[in-house]
Amino acid sequence: MERDFARSRRVADYARALGYAPRTLSRATEDRAGVGAKEFIDRRVELEAKRLLAHGDRSAARIAGRLGFADATNFSKFFQRRTGSTPIAFRVAVRGGAQRVGGSPPRPAQGLPGGSSRP
């Protein structure tokens, strides 16, 4: 699983690699982890997506490719369905909302506290 989760999210692929039927693999993960094989795989992909978004600067499109998604749209739909947040909104929230695109913190507006050019 750790070796192949970025290449395939299909239970049949893992079952074939292990020499089991997909149903047998799903029963085994249900017994050991409390969730079916598909859910187990999706949780691992979700965890890696969160890790890459929180601790890296790759674009959502690059992360999508890294995790085996055909395109950024499919990755974004998967991530939003799993987490309730878009990949970019998740990244901003995890990083405290202080970073904008480009990595620099927002500048204070002129005329507001901390933004005035007067002494």
Side-chain angles (χ1 to χ4, degrees):
M1 165 86 169
E2 286 301 309
R3 184 187 63 202
D4 294 330
F5 75 89
R7 281 186 238 159
S8 176
R9 291 180 315 282
R10 294 183 37 189
V11 174
D13 293 338
Y14 290 95
R16 183 176 28 260
L18 295 169
Y20 293 108
R23 188 169 178 163
T24 302
L25 180 58
S26 201
R27 281 189 205 137
T29 57
E30 179 79 39
D31 183 52
R32 294 292 183 179
V35 295
K38 178 64 174 153
E39 177 64 18
F40 190 83
I41 294 164
D42 285 351
R43 285 183 182 185
R44 180 60 184 98
V45 172
E46 177 187 344
L47 177 66
E48 186 67 7
K50 286 179 174 179
R51 188 187 71 75
L52 291 169
L53 287 164
H55 301 292
D57 291 324
R58 289 181 180 163
S59 68
R62 297 230 11 219
I63 292 171
R66 164 94 168 73
L67 296 177
F69 287 87
D71 57 53
T73 301
N74 286 339
F75 168 65
S76 187
K77 287 178 182 179
F78 169 86
F79 191 86
Q80 192 160 5
R81 188 176 62 248
R82 301 282 312 171
T83 67
S85 175
T86 66
I88 301 310
F90 174 83
R91 174 179 276 161
V92 169
V94 161
R95 293 182 178 182
Q99 286 197 341
R100 296 184 309 173
V101 174
S104 59
R107 292 186 196 138
Q110 290 294 327
L112 297 175
S116 174
S117 59
R118 287 183 263 156

